[in-house]
Amino acid sequence: MPAPHGHSRTGLPLLLLTALTLSGCAGSGAGSSDDSASEPTVASTPVKLRTQELKFPLDAYERSTTEQRVLTRAQQVLTNRCMARYGFTFQAPATPVTPGDSADNARRYGVSDPETAATYGYARPDSAGSTRTPPTQPELSGTGKLVLYGPDGGKPQDLPASQQEAEAAQQKGKGTTKVEGEAIPAGGCIRESFLKLYAPTPDSVDALFVFQLVSEAQSRSREDSRVRKVFQRWSSCMKDSGYTVSNPAGVASQLGLRDDELSSSRAVTAAKADVACKEKVNLVGVTYAVESAYQRQLIDKNAETLQLVQKQDEDRLRFAASLTGA
């Protein structure tokens, strides 16, 4: 499930994504309806260029970076405890909890900061010159992997949708694969830790519900006549500068820049022209206003479910804090 417009959330940790993959990543139920054909009213369009500090209506329903890190650590604790039941000493890589910050909007509509463009081109300041290595995963035997991920051969859609459902199925004797005399949870310990934290009961809202609403608003805004028009004006401006590009969120790839060329002199020159054209046509201001309007439309449509999201997140964070001491 890609994030359009380069939108990425720190709130989608590996264990969560693995569990969602195992579950088939159920839809949010917020699918398109007849109102998707109408373009929402935009009362005013701000003049904006930098996107780092943009605030969107759906931000109120998303977790902060700190909150998601607490949840990630809690899921790791639950996974470790599950593995211990089967005799495995397993330590999922720890995620440090740091002070909260806002979601990363720095590249929501492509590069938009003049200083960053002039210094880094299309490279990200936090990655330029860095050589990050992923945390090493503990070596597991075949049996350990069986316990962690569950038996192969099952269909994702057949996995329990909640921990309550999983426990009921186990009581009925479903799932006969055992280790140390105990049946392995459907989907393994990763799935069990996900269910205990994100879907304890059948009425638990999809863990990606808000993310899917954000993605839907972005997708709709891309098709909006006002956004298409400002993209065309930006593209014409870029053509006047010698660049043939159509999507401000993917200029580097459209120019054929390799990963090791994102901060090259060629990239810097293009990025500076890119930002100048965004400023000239107010691309950020127009797109932000339109996308925000679609978000408000979706909030109105899903108000009851979003209230439930907030309530369940409060309960989830309390549970996570009891596991991590955060």
Side-chain angles (χ1 to χ4, degrees):
M1 184 181 302
H5 283 346
H7 174 61
S8 65
R9 289 295 180 194
T10 57
L12 299 177
L14 177 61
L15 289 177
L16 169 57
L17 287 174
T18 303
L20 287 169
T21 300
L22 290 170
S23 70
C25 193
S28 69
S32 300
S33 61
D34 292 340
D35 61 8
S36 64
S38 62
E39 295 184 350
T41 301
V42 172
S44 63
T45 301
V47 176
K48 287 185 175 291
L49 180 58
R50 294 171 176 83
T51 59
Q52 288 92 329
E53 301 304 320
L54 291 181
K55 302 295 182 185
F56 289 84
L58 279 168
D59 288 353
Y61 302 94
E62 296 207 82
R63 306 176 193 110
S64 70
T65 302
T66 292
E67 289 173 336
Q68 188 56 60
R69 283 176 175 156
V70 171
L71 292 171
T72 299
R73 181 58 189 145
Q75 190 179 356
Q76 291 166 337
V77 170
L78 289 169
T79 302
N80 297 343
R81 290 181 179 180
C82 176
M83 293 293 287
R85 295 205 312 265
Y86 299 89
F88 292 96
T89 301
F90 181 84
Q91 290 294 323
T95 302
V97 177
T98 58
D101 52 33
S102 59
D104 177 17
N105 285 322
R107 298 296 174 93
R108 196 177 188 100
Y109 308 128
V111 64
S112 61
D113 181 80
E115 289 76 21
T116 300
T119 304
Y120 299 100
Y122 287 102
R124 286 182 175 270
D126 60 357
S127 63
S130 68
T131 55
R132 295 181 182 178
T133 56
T136 56
Q137 295 286 346
E139 247 342 288
L140 285 173
S141 63
T143 304
K145 291 177 182 177
L146 178 67
V147 173
L148 184 62
Y149 300 110
D152 292 331
K155 297 179 180 179
Q157 61 267 30
D158 293 336
L159 290 171
S162 70
Q163 181 62 16
Q164 195 175 92
E165 181 184 333
E167 291 173 357
Q170 196 163 6
Q171 288 175 359
K172 293 178 180 178
K174 293 183 179 179
T176 56
T177 305
K178 294 185 178 182
V179 171
E180 297 293 319
E182 185 171 352
I184 298 173
C189 285
I190 283 184
R191 179 66 179 164
E192 180 183 277
S193 66
F194 163 74
L195 292 179
K196 284 186 173 181
L197 188 61
Y198 292 99
T201 59
D203 68 343
S204 300
V205 179
D206 187 338
L208 292 182
F209 184 80
V210 176
F211 176 82
Q212 290 169 339
L213 292 184
V214 171
S215 298
E216 183 174 348
Q218 290 178 329
S219 297
R220 290 187 182 184
S221 68
R222 277 205 308 263
E223 301 303 318
D224 190 278
S225 62
R226 294 157 293 191
V227 172
R228 289 202 306 267
K229 184 180 296 183
V230 79
F231 276 23
Q232 289 168 358
R233 292 174 60 206
W234 168 84
S235 181
S236 296
C237 176
M238 288 292 283
K239 189 171 185 179
D240 291 341
S241 297
Y243 302 102
T244 302
V245 289
S246 59
N247 182 353
V251 177
S253 61
Q254 291 171 70
L255 295 178
L257 292 169
R258 301 189 309 268
D259 287 347
D260 60 352
E261 297 177 315
L262 295 180
S263 58
S264 64
S265 58
R266 178 186 171 215
V268 167
T269 301
K272 288 165 67 175
D274 183 353
V275 173
C277 285
K278 285 188 174 83
E279 184 172 28
K280 181 179 180 180
V281 304
N282 193 28
L283 183 143
V284 172
V286 171
T287 310
Y288 167 67
V290 171
E291 185 177 338
S292 295
Y294 280 103
Q295 285 199 9
R296 285 190 288 270
Q297 193 177 68
L298 288 170
I299 288 171
D300 290 343
K301 176 184 174 184
N302 298 278
E304 185 175 341
T305 303
L306 286 170
Q307 286 181 353
L308 192 56
V309 165
Q310 290 182 313
K311 172 63 170 61
Q312 291 182 358
D313 263 350
E314 291 172 1
D315 295 340
R316 187 173 295 122
L317 285 165
R318 279 193 293 270
F319 175 50
S322 73
L323 295 170
T324 64

